[in-house]
Amino acid sequence: MKKIKLEDLLSRKMTEGFQSKEVYVKGLGGEITIVKQPLPTVLRLMDDIKQDDMTLSAVMDSMVQLIYNCVPLFKNKELQAKYECAEPTDVVYKVLNDSVEDITTIGGAILSMYGVENPMDEIKK
């Protein structure tokens, strides 16, 4: 096994720009782009989700917040106005027609960008 040296880390190319990927959303019949956010942002949301006294609605709200943060499309003011959103994050529920399947699909895809392979299992722990 190779021993990593300082030179290896210094010469390692940093990830340039942002990382993103396309996720197919069944209810929309197409793909949306998710953008990786800084790890501390995601960890705070996961911490909220993993609290023992969390209700299902609170877990879903945290997942929606995560989606809102990672899907630039949902931050569009015109889209929020069209769907008459009281809160900016309401656009996620409205665009996805309150589909738990679509919300968990997108949330799972986001968390997989951070190495969480079975996000729903992690949340249930």
Side-chain angles (χ1 to χ4, degrees):
M1 190 175 307
K2 179 181 175 183
K3 175 103 171 144
I4 301 296
K5 299 177 185 156
L6 178 60
E7 293 79 24
D8 296 323
L9 297 178
L10 291 173
S11 66
R12 185 173 173 214
K13 189 173 182 175
M14 291 182 59
T15 306
E16 291 185 26
F18 62 90
Q19 291 180 318
S20 66
K21 72 178 183 180
E22 303 300 313
V23 177
Y24 179 78
V25 181
K26 185 177 172 183
L28 298 177
E31 294 181 335
I32 59 169
T33 302
I34 56 175
V35 177
K36 189 173 183 180
Q37 299 297 309
L39 182 60
T41 301
V42 174
L43 289 176
R44 277 192 296 279
L45 289 166
M46 285 186 73
D47 283 346
D48 289 345
I49 291 171
K50 290 182 100 167
Q51 292 178 19
D52 289 338
D53 59 345
M54 286 286 282
T55 62
L56 283 176
S57 62
V59 169
M60 195 58 55
D61 284 343
S62 291
M63 189 66 72
V64 164
Q65 182 67 49
L66 177 65
I67 292 168
Y68 179 78
N69 285 332
C70 296
V71 179
L73 205 57
F74 290 144
K75 293 184 179 179
N76 181 284
K77 299 297 181 204
E78 186 180 341
L79 184 66
Q80 293 170 13
K82 164 87 172 141
Y83 282 88
E84 300 175 355
C85 300
E87 295 294 324
T89 54
D90 291 348
V91 74
V92 177
Y93 286 115
K94 291 183 177 195
V95 168
L96 298 176
N97 289 321
D98 293 328
S99 169
V100 172
E101 178 183 8
D102 288 343
I103 291 169
T104 56
T105 295
I106 299 168
I110 292 167
L111 293 176
S112 73
M113 293 177 82
Y114 299 88
V116 179
E117 293 308 317
N118 295 312
M120 292 301 123
D121 293 343
E122 287 295 316
I123 288 168
K124 292 175 190 170
K125 286 182 183 175

